[in-house]
Structures are given as C-alpha cells and as structure tokens.
Amino acid sequence: MTELVTPTAGRLRRPSWRERRLLVGLLLVVVATVLGARAVAGAGDRVPVWVAADNLVAGDAVGSGSFVRADVRLAEGMASYLGADAPPPVGSFLLRDVRAGELVPTSAVGAADAVGVQRVTVRADAMATTGLVRGSRVDVFVTPRASTTAERSAPATTKVLSSAGVAAVLTTSGGFGSGSLTSVQIYVPSEKVQALVEAVDGEARLTLVPAVGAATGGAG
C-alpha cells in the first residue's frame, strides 16, 4: 500500500512592509472620515448672524458697512438676534447702542419714527474731550456766558444732558491748552435739542464729562 504523506503546517510569517503600509493607509482613511464627519456635523450647528462692524450708537442709520457676518453655534435665544441669511436692513436705524463685535439684537434696529434722538454738533474744551471716541457716553454741562462782572464771579453751571451718545469726534481748533476747542457730534433727545441749541447760540461754555462705563480710546 502506498504510504500517505502527512501535511506539514506552514510557518507563520511576519507581515511584509507592504502590508504594514496598507494597514497604516486604511487607518488614515478611517481617521479622515471620522474627522470629516465631525466637521460637517459641527458646521450644521452654526447659523449666520450680523455683528456690529464698529461701535454703533442709538440714532445711527444702518449702512452697507455697519454689520459684518459671523457664523455662530446654535443656542437658545438666537432668534432674538439679526440673522445674516437676509441682507442687512440698510436704511433702518439703531434704537440702542451696540458695541463693535457684538451680535445685533433684532430689537436694536427699527424705523426712523422710532428714533428719539437727533445729532447736534457742539464745541467743547479740548482737554475735556480727550479720550472720547465714537460710541462714548457723556454728561453735558453748560455754563452760560457771563454778561456782567457780578455774574463772572459766580457762573451758574448746570447739567443739561445725561449719558448722551457720541456720534463722532471731529476737529480741534484754537491752538493748544485750555483755549482749544473740539467739535463733537452727540445724539440729543429730541425734547432737549432746542435748549442745547440755544446754549450753543448764546456762546455758553460746554463741558463733556465721560459717563460711568463710557468707551474711551484714541481720538476717532
């Protein structure tokens, strides 16, 4: 009878360098797929909103450059902010201050008839306006021009405005020191515009004092 040949077990061999490269490649594909899926999921959690491009002051007209778009994560209350899935409301007006970089609340923008302030340009002592920028808030003090010698000894200074918004800091004239004046545009409540204009026309001295928490910086 023919003797049967017993099969011998083959030796286990180490994976070749080609197989290791294949495994590494597969691992990289899996990692890239997972990261891509997370990125897509994260992008789906973001919504476009408008944020203030600069310090915006109550009374400002909304222009094409007033807002910039930002994509933020979904959160409760996002519906109360102005969405950037529609064009900015150019031609509307700010009803409250919004600082640069802040999300713009829908309640901060409205029609012209909802604005209760008007721009008035005043001239104040340059030293008193140091550090004021657009968006600052100031208290306005008026010292009437003295018409007699007796009045010069005791000028009556009164505060006529509280926390008025600064729309712009303009030019400085009159040289250096206490004699120089700076022109500043401020937003004045409509019912107080006449009194302030009369003070300006009467050559009263105006002093602007930064309100508590007012924005300050270099002249802008």
Side-chain angles (χ1 to χ4, degrees):
M1 294 180 65
T2 304
E3 187 177 348
L4 297 176
V5 178
T6 303
T8 57
R11 288 187 177 181
L12 294 176
R13 60 187 181 85
R14 294 181 180 179
S16 69
W17 68 273
R18 292 180 181 274
E19 291 173 335
R20 288 198 296 270
R21 289 183 61 185
L22 177 61
L23 290 175
V24 172
L26 290 174
L27 180 60
L28 291 176
V29 170
V30 172
V31 171
T33 301
V34 172
L35 293 178
R38 288 184 178 180
V40 171
D45 291 339
R46 294 179 177 273
V47 293
V49 294
W50 292 116
V51 301
D54 193 3
N55 287 336
L56 304 177
V57 188
D60 283 346
V62 176
S64 58
S66 298
F67 306 148
V68 294
R69 172 179 165 149
D71 293 326
V72 300
R73 289 189 179 278
L74 283 171
E76 292 185 6
M78 290 305 300
S80 61
Y81 295 100
L82 206 60
D85 49 356
V90 175
S92 57
F93 292 83
L94 270 297
L95 306 182
R96 48 161 284 193
D97 293 0
V98 183
R99 295 298 178 195
E102 288 186 359
L103 302 182
V104 181
T106 54
S107 60
V109 180
D113 56 7
V115 179
V117 293
Q118 296 174 262
R119 280 197 189 199
V120 178
T121 300
V122 300
R123 300 181 73 197
D125 181 82
M127 295 297 293
T129 61
T130 301
L132 294 183
V133 295
R134 174 179 171 77
S136 295
R137 287 273 168 177
V138 294
D139 296 335
V140 180
F141 292 82
V142 170
T143 304
R145 180 183 181 185
S147 58
T148 65
T149 303
E151 289 180 357
R152 285 195 180 95
S153 62
T157 299
T158 57
K159 182 166 73 172
V160 296
L161 290 175
S162 296
S163 195
V166 174
V169 180
L170 306 175
T171 58
T172 299
S173 61
F176 299 98
S178 59
S180 59
L181 298 174
T182 299
S183 296
V184 181
Q185 285 187 344
I186 58 177
Y187 281 113
V188 181
S190 299
E191 67 275 12
K192 295 187 176 182
V193 169
Q194 181 174 343
L196 185 61
V197 170
E198 288 175 351
V200 172
D201 290 345
E203 298 182 355
R205 180 164 58 88
L206 271 62
T207 304
L208 308 184
V209 179
V212 175
T216 57

